[in-house]
Amino acid sequence: MVNVLIADDQKLVRAGFRSILDEEDDICVVAEASDGGTAVETTLRERPDVVLMDVRMPGTDGLEATRSIVSDPRLKDVRVLILTTFDVDEYVYSALRAGASGFLVKDTEPMELIHAVRVAARGDSLLSPTVTRRLIAEFVGRIKEPPPAVDLNSLTEREREVLAGVAAGLSNEELAERLVVSTATAKTHVSRILTKLGARDRAQLVVIAYETGTVRPGWLS
């Protein structure tokens, strides 16, 4: 069973998402929150598998709440999906950088919402390649604070190639096809990169790839 927490300051949005998710036999909405502070407290109490997190909420916003959840070792298995009104949102980039596993536009289709929750619960990242690349390209040049110190010297040449593929939004199957290796081998490469770079998931690898210049905006369009 995939347990979900919905954090959004609009009651109708929470009710709509709950009605969609609770229809599924393998998904259960265990709690709701109307602001970021409550979202963090409730996540600590309920330990959901997935948090659907709105960005713009009163008090503690979704971005700060995401940072709190992702940085708490007690919540290492919780995945955060950012909810946004627009498919390109400056806060979404910041949230991905903070450790969110992906994002959803609020007017997404019901089946896409259900799929996203299941993907996140598996520990995978929800990255729409086209939208994610556009979002990164839009905001990576606006970073006001220096990017985190990430040493890419530990990566082999093949691992750098895999990192570029992940930044392009390629799945393990697509990476395998591009590299002419098995899917299991591609998955192993990604796992090793995550470990070497201390990244939480593929979403963080996308951000790292752009911030370190491994790829550049438009390079993988």
Side-chain angles (χ1 to χ4, degrees):
M1 181 67 70
V2 178
N3 293 325
V4 178
L5 185 153
I6 302 171
D8 194 292
D9 62 339
Q10 298 181 43
K11 189 173 183 178
L12 282 176
V13 171
R14 299 198 307 270
F17 281 7
R18 176 185 278 274
S19 67
I20 292 169
L21 296 174
D22 277 345
E23 285 291 317
E24 302 302 307
D25 293 338
D26 61 333
I27 300 175
C28 177
V29 177
V30 294
E32 298 179 14
S34 59
D35 61 77
T38 304
V40 175
E41 293 171 3
T42 309
T43 299
L44 280 166
R45 184 178 68 248
E46 298 291 342
R47 306 295 171 92
D49 301 296
V50 179
V51 177
L52 297 178
M53 182 79 75
D54 186 23
V55 173
R56 297 178 177 89
M57 293 185 289
T60 302
D61 65 16
L63 180 56
E64 187 58 38
T66 296
R67 286 198 186 101
S68 296
I69 291 170
V70 170
S71 63
D72 192 325
R74 294 170 294 178
L75 304 175
K76 61 182 179 64
D77 295 324
V78 177
R79 292 295 179 264
V80 179
L81 291 179
I82 297 298
L83 299 173
T84 179
T85 306
F86 307 103
D87 61 4
V88 172
D89 185 318
E90 186 167 5
Y91 291 103
V92 174
Y93 172 75
S94 298
L96 287 175
R97 196 173 179 217
S101 293
F103 62 94
L104 284 171
V105 181
K106 283 189 178 181
D107 63 356
T108 189
E109 294 294 324
M111 290 309 299
E112 292 176 355
L113 171 64
I114 294 165
H115 172 70
V117 167
R118 288 173 176 154
V119 167
R122 291 200 305 264
D124 294 332
S125 298
L126 187 76
L127 296 173
S128 168
T130 302
V131 174
T132 300
R133 290 202 302 272
R134 188 167 79 248
L135 183 149
I136 297 287
E138 176 75 15
F139 296 112
V140 74
R142 303 186 190 179
I143 302 170
K144 296 179 181 178
E145 58 184 283
V150 177
D151 184 9
L152 297 185
N153 291 329
S154 62
L155 300 186
T156 65
E157 196 63 37
R158 173 49 63 92
E159 287 168 346
R160 287 172 183 262
E161 189 177 358
V162 171
L163 177 60
V166 171
L170 299 183
S171 65
N172 288 335
E173 290 77 13
E174 291 166 332
L175 281 170
E177 183 176 353
R178 174 174 289 192
L179 302 175
V180 195
V181 297
S182 69
T183 300
T185 298
K187 185 176 181 179
T188 297
H189 281 310
V190 173
S191 296
R192 286 176 178 167
I193 295 169
L194 287 167
T195 299
K196 286 183 177 183
L197 300 185
R200 182 178 175 89
D201 55 26
R202 296 169 80 104
Q204 282 197 306
L205 290 184
V206 173
V207 175
I208 288 171
Y210 278 92
E211 290 187 337
T212 58
T214 302
V215 294
R216 298 177 300 280
W219 188 69
L220 291 167
S221 299

